[in-house]
Amino acid sequence: MSPRLSSQAIRCFGVLLALALHPTAPGIAQTNSYRALASHFCLDCHDSQDAEAGFDLETLLQKPFRAHTDDWERVLQKLETGQMPPKTSPVPNQTERDAAIADLVAALDAAAFTSPHPGTAAALKRLNRTEYQNAIRDLLDLEIDARDYLPPDESSNGFDHTLTNNLSPTLLSRYLVAAKKIAQLAVGRPVKSPVGKTFRIKADVTQEKHVLGMPLGTRGGGRFLHHFPQTGLYEFQIRLARDRNDEVEGLRGSHDLLILIDNEQVASLKISRPKSGTLADFQDSNLRTRLPIVAGPHEVSATFRRTSGSLSESVRQPLNVRFNLHRHPRLVPAVYELSITGPFAGANVNEHRLPSTPTLTPSQKTIFVARPGSNASSETAAKQVLEKLGRKAYRRELKPEDMHRLLDFFRSGNDQHGYEAGIESALTAILTSPHFLFKIPPSDLAIMTEDDRKERGTRRISDYELASSLSFFLWSSLPDDILLHLASENRLHEPAELARQVKRMLADPKASNLTSNFASQWLHLRNLGSITPDGRKFPDFDENLRLAMRRETELHFESMVTNNASVLDLIQSEHTYLNERLAKHYGIPGVHGSRYRRVNLLPHHHRGGILRQGSILTLTSYATRTSPVVRGNWVLKNILGATIPPPPDDVPGLEEQPTLVDSSSVRERLLQHRSDSTCASCHELMDPIGFALENYDAVGRWRDRDHGLPILTTGMLPSGVAFKSLDDIEDTLMSHPELFVSTFSERLLTFALGRGTELHDRPAIRKIVRDAKPTGYRIESIVLGIINSVPFQLRSSP
């Protein structure tokens, strides 16, 4: 009797042989060889109830190939990631498998070349918080924290793309209020009354040692960027950290609390225990002072003068954390918050050594390129100011109707309160304009002829669209004057010029956006702030360690971009970036101080690529233990590009299954969990990879044993390749780089397009990977491949 296989296995095995026989024929199911194979296995080809229900390859193979490329892309994705055929079914050997995959790829890519499919662009995208914040910085030379003005963005396809058809009244109100406040701050008109802002330090920050960026000889505290709207007197109020009994923590003896402006000491406050009562009687109101400050942005710090450490503490080698009263109490006081209020009227210029003439802030210098005078009227000067601001904000040349609208706002403010008020009013209008808040493509479609549009159904984006797409991709901000100038001359799209601009943009400090925005979302680093390991099991974890973990991964990615290194450096690396806190956590000696530096690694350090970094290992763990399932799923999704469906609702977790609670190790408990046939199919893919990471505990420390038992890290990848440890997985990824590079390119393309990739984007991704191969998959070649790709450069014609 013929063996009975699942419909998925039958379809997958059948297509491999059929493609090997006739790789590009539109009706390859007509061959006798395929018919014989199908009749031998196809006992239940049409009754599948799984996720692929209704997907019948025997029928598909009889249909025109080019009309069903999306279906073939699904087949290819399953075969490339090793998810099909199942290990339990008969499969071709590796040579046959590779040949069939290569033939299918060639057929799909040929179809895509002759009929490019750019996909459907999102109807309307508004600036997300990061883009809004960066746009204000580059438009007005003003640093803001968009979190103070706008609500959090929703995630779409793993990134904070803000696809919308309209603005809710609440969000519209937030944009209006934000625009008014930002315009007033940038223009710098006098405020009617003092305004304040409070900066707060997280409760689980250890403040016993030097803080990066502070002067040497200080310890603890915080450093904050604050924009002072006018020159004048400002009040600084500091509050110290207190425990649950409202007592000031660690207040023994006397301490010097310093206030620094741009790292220069401007005030010193002496603090000591109250002469009577308890530490709860300490008056924070005494930690207040008024200081003269020149208008503009300044780094404000509140810190302590460092005294010599305790020898006994050094000998005992205590925990690195100091913030919890009962488990690890503070040894010295700590800053809880810093409030800044002002300016206050009545400041004497000579008494406080303030400038006798107004000092222009960076934003005022950027905005006021012209002022009314003997050679220019108010309206003439305003036109020059608004032409510059409007062109950059709207990412194109201003139209006459744009200028008329802005001048109407200017006249309204100018007539009532003068020239600066008029500019402030017009600037508010710019910041609330749809042309600023939304990524609206221009309506000029004259780049392609009408015949081209009818024939191909696509158009190349205009140079202004290209400038905007480039800048939001690489900088998450507005295009600069160079890009806009090239766009105005219709030269930006020229291949040589485009390559020059990409190289320039990646070398610009603003390219750090690829780290802080793309990498932090792709690798889920933004979620690290919400991870709190169990304090009893992991007492040495605090915010300092959390930040150091994140910074290690960011610096690793940032160095790849800065040095135009291979993206494979993310998988295997002989160096990493550590400060003293993280080096101690990893057990790597010889690293001292708060500064991060490149550290060359040895094999016994067990560090290197992102799969060995504390940020990823902590993110993919539970509060009390590791999770091979979460870790394995993370690797499948973010490294291998495979997708795993969510578990059924009625399947309990490990902690909810009484028969598993007493098992000795996580591996043994999961092996029992996999005995359930409902769970086995997905866990067979995820768990082995997660087991390979079991040498790292829930906060990323290396270990050799779990619950007293040796840790077993052997397993098999979805492709069928066996491994003994994480070393083998990394070696496999390095020997088959297309797997990871394809996944990386797909995620970066998603980020660049502002939409999720679709099956018809797969040929473009393969071309990006193929073109980057001669360079060793350097990041610049992948970025340039994305920018030159069909989905980035073309749009479907309306």
Side-chain angles (χ1 to χ4, degrees), residues 162-163 294 347 427 468 503 587 672 747 770:
T162 46
L163 313 181
V294 175
L427 178 55
S468 187
K503 194 176 192 70
Q672 294 181 52
R747 300 311 295 154
R770 192 163 55 244

Side-chain angles (χ1 to χ4, degrees), residues 673-682:
H673 187 67
R674 284 165 59 184
S675 63
D676 185 338
S677 59
T678 308
C679 308
S681 58
C682 291

Side-chain angles (χ1 to χ4, degrees), residues 480-681:
D480 62 5
D481 290 337
I482 295 175
L483 292 175
L484 290 175
H485 175 71
L486 290 169
S488 69
E489 296 185 343
N490 200 30
R491 292 196 294 121
L492 183 57
H493 70 278
E494 296 172 359
E497 186 61 58
L498 185 58
R500 275 194 294 272
Q501 293 308 312
V502 170
K503 194 176 192 70
R504 176 183 72 86
M505 294 176 74
L506 287 174
D508 192 284
K510 287 186 287 188
S512 61
N513 152 75
L514 288 174
T515 300
S516 61
N517 201 8
F518 165 69
S520 68
Q521 294 186 80
W522 166 49
L523 299 175
H524 303 177
L525 298 180
R526 287 186 177 181
N527 299 341
L528 197 58
S530 63
I531 301 297
T532 305
D534 185 273
R536 292 177 177 83
K537 291 196 172 186
F538 307 103
D540 209 23
F541 192 93
D542 61 357
E543 176 70 5
N544 308 58
L545 182 58
R546 186 185 288 114
L547 292 176
M549 286 178 171
R550 175 168 179 166
R551 194 62 187 139
E552 175 193 23
T553 305
E554 289 177 338
L555 287 171
H556 196 116
F557 191 95
E558 194 173 288
S559 70
M560 179 191 71
V561 175
T562 302
N563 300 316
N564 188 24
S566 170
V567 298
L568 295 175
D569 285 359
L570 297 174
I571 299 299
Q572 262 188 358
S573 177
E574 295 181 349
H575 68 270
T576 191
Y577 297 86
L578 307 175
N579 64 358
E580 180 179 351
R581 181 71 179 84
L582 189 56
K584 282 186 175 181
H585 184 69
Y586 288 166
I588 298 177
V591 179
H592 303 286
S594 58
R595 180 179 62 87
Y596 294 90
R597 78 292 313 264
R598 174 172 166 151
V599 176
N600 293 326
L601 300 169
L602 298 174
H604 69 269
H605 292 148
H606 305 295
R607 301 293 164 181
I610 56 176
L611 295 181
R612 300 173 181 269
Q613 293 178 358
S615 59
I616 305 302
L617 295 164
T618 303
L619 276 168
T620 53
S621 297
Y622 293 135
T624 58
R625 63 168 177 85
T626 60
S627 174
V629 177
V630 176
R631 286 179 174 178
N633 189 41
W634 191 95
V635 173
L636 284 172
K637 179 181 178 181
N638 296 288
I639 304 299
L640 300 179
T643 55
I644 301 294
D649 294 335
D650 58 347
V651 175
L654 291 186
E655 283 75 6
E656 299 171 340
Q657 301 182 60
T659 59
L660 304 184
V661 171
D662 296 328
S663 299
S664 298
S665 69
V666 172
R667 184 182 184 107
E668 289 184 353
R669 296 163 72 186
L670 277 171
L671 288 174
Q672 294 181 52
H673 187 67
R674 284 165 59 184
S675 63
D676 185 338
S677 59
T678 308
C679 308
S681 58

Side-chain angles (χ1 to χ4, degrees), residues 745-756:
S745 301
E746 187 273 333
R747 300 311 295 154
L748 192 56
L749 180 63
T750 296
F751 179 78
L753 297 178
R755 67 165 174 83

Side-chain angles (χ1 to χ4, degrees), residues 12-28:
C12 196
F13 189 57
V15 75
L16 281 171
L17 183 56
L19 286 172
L21 293 172
H22 297 277
T24 58
I28 54 180

Side-chain angles (χ1 to χ4, degrees), residues 668-722:
E668 289 184 353
R669 296 163 72 186
L670 277 171
L671 288 174
Q672 294 181 52
H673 187 67
R674 284 165 59 184
S675 63
D676 185 338
S677 59
T678 308
C679 308
S681 58
C682 291
H683 280 277
E684 285 175 354
L685 297 174
M686 297 182 293
D687 295 359
I689 297 175
F691 291 147
L693 298 168
E694 273 296 279
N695 279 126
Y696 299 95
D697 70 9
V699 292
R701 294 175 303 192
W702 178 263
R703 61 182 181 174
D704 293 308
R705 306 178 78 83
D706 180 22
H707 287 74
L709 299 175
I711 293 175
L712 301 178
T713 58
T714 57
M716 185 176 293
L717 291 171
S719 60
V721 176

Side-chain angles (χ1 to χ4, degrees), residues 132 163 233 244 342 374 413 434 458 471 539 544 663 739:
Y132 186 89
L163 313 181
L233 275 183
R244 67 183 63 180
S374 57
T458 59
S471 62
N544 308 58
S663 299
L739 266 178

